[in-house]
Amino acid sequence: MRFFIDTGSVSEVEEIAGWGILSGATTNPSLLAKEDGEPGDIIRRICDLVGGPTSAEVVSDDAPAMIEEGRALAKLHEHVVVKVPFSADGLAATHALSDEGIRVNMTLVFSATQALLTAQAGATYASCFMGRLDDISIDSATVTEEIVTALRPGGTTTQVLAASIRHPEHVVTAARLGCEVATVPAKVFHQMLNHPLTESGRERFKADWQSRPEFVSWLRELVSKQPA
Ligand code: G3P
């Protein structure tokens, strides 16, 4: 499963991209509305930082306007993927944009039936919102599994993108269920790092090594001998 970062914050992308684990990014109007600066500059900067598919969302409700906005957003950068909210007009816009070779990420997908329609419309990604399902006491793992298993047999190329990730367990569930991508907020990436045994293990190794000062100087000397 590949990782995208879910944010409108360039500084968060800079930090997490530095870990070498990102394949793309997703933005949405709410995430971008939190940021200072022109949306086009932010989206282009994030595209450059992740060097991969970066979703930018249309905001109109009718297909003709969505298609116009989608064409314009796609021209911002070669990595832009147009994000389209699920609806009948969204399906029509997705079909038209995909026909023009513009990749679409259908967002706000909450059921296997919506995902099946999304795949038929030609979307590259179907974004299943796990956190928002759990928010209303609908088990996100069950719905995500239904979406993955519904799309598989049909031989569709539409990838399941797990979104609205609220904690590390959502990431594990998405991977276990076979989602191709999870888009993760920076805060959750940090939570995924943590394990008490890793911390204590690193401290123990350091302490044991430093208990042998001759070893410390040996390694420092070994490093200093390396060609620049
Ligand atoms: O970017 C889409 C989605 O991941 C937003 O999730 O529910 O945390 O706003 P949420």
Side-chain angles (χ1 to χ4, degrees), residues 26 109 119 205:
T26 55
V109 171
F205 286 153

Side-chain angles (χ1 to χ4, degrees), residues 77-132:
H77 193 286
E78 62 171 330
H79 290 320
V80 165
V81 172
V82 176
K83 215 176 189 184
V84 175
F86 185 88
S87 67
D89 278 81
L91 290 169
T94 296
H95 182 66
L97 292 168
S98 302
D99 258 9
E100 294 173 18
I102 294 173
R103 293 169 296 169
V104 171
N105 173 4
M106 184 75 89
T107 189
L108 296 171
V109 171
F110 291 100
S111 69
T113 51
Q114 291 181 333
L116 287 166
L117 292 168
T118 295
Q120 286 310 312
T124 302
Y125 304 99
S127 284
C128 167
F129 278 44
M130 299 180 77
R132 295 192 191 185

Side-chain angles (χ1 to χ4, degrees), residues 36 42 49 63 69 72 86 90 93 111 113 127 143 184 199 206 219:
D36 299 326
I42 295 172
L49 285 166
E69 289 171 5
F86 185 88
S111 69
T113 51
S127 284
V143 174
V184 182
E199 321 316 323
K206 205 187 298 176
L219 183 57

Side-chain angles (χ1 to χ4, degrees), residues 3-27:
F3 287 129
F4 291 0
I5 185 168
D6 196 24
T7 185
S9 162
V10 168
S11 59
E12 286 183 352
V13 180
E14 281 167 346
E15 182 204 4
I16 308 296
W19 300 0
I21 59 150
L22 291 181
S23 303
T26 55
T27 70

Side-chain angles (χ1 to χ4, degrees), residues 200-213 216:
S200 60
R202 219 192 3 253
E203 292 313 316
R204 174 77 181 281
F205 286 153
K206 205 187 298 176
D208 291 346
W209 186 259
Q210 285 166 353
S211 71
R212 304 290 302 271
V216 175

